[in-house]
């Protein structure tokens, strides 16, 4: 199943398709591994992480759950640099295996948990 996320900001509109063929290599063009199977070019995930990193004042996120550590780490970094981060997520998923939502909540990121999040959509808004 392919997911589509549209990122709209005052300066640009991007449409991202998931899943990527490969996760981005954290070393990118500096990678020295002979048989690295990670992507060495921009991916939908790396573009989304760049978008989240660009938030300066606020970041509102509505998702079913967050299980990608790279996304959780970017949200934590934003929170630490003073960005007001808020998350709406499904309460049943907060305790699910691999979910990062509880870790984000423990770090002081405001959250609203609700029941019945059947759709797996994601919405992001930032300033």
């Amino acid at each position: 199943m392919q997911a589509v996320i549209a990122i709209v900001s005052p300066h640009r509109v991007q449409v991202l398709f998931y899943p990527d063929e490969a996760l981005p290599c954290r070393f990118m063009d500096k990678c020295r591994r002979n048989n690295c199977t990670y992507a060495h070019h921009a991916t939908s995930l790396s573009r989304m992480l760049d978008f989240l990193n660009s938030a300066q004042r606020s970041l509102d996120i509505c998702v079913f759950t967050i299980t990608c550590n790279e996304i959780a780490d970017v949200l934590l970094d934003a929170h630490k640099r003073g960005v007001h981060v808020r998350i709406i997520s499904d309460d049943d998923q907060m305790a699910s295996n691999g979910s990062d939502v509880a870790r984000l909540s423990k770090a002081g990121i405001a959250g609203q948990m609700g029941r019945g999040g059947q759709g797996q959509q994601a919405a992001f808004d930032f300033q």
Side-chain angles (χ1 to χ4, degrees), residues 1-4 16-23 43-45:
M1 171 184 252
Q2 188 170 26
V4 178
L16 307 176
F17 297 90
Y18 290 91
D20 286 313
E21 289 182 25
L23 289 171
T43 64
S44 290
L45 177 60

Side-chain angles (χ1 to χ4, degrees), residues 112-125:
Q112 178 68 41
M113 304 309 139
R115 283 201 156 291
Q118 299 298 322
Q120 295 188 9
Q121 299 111 8
F124 303 93
D125 184 28

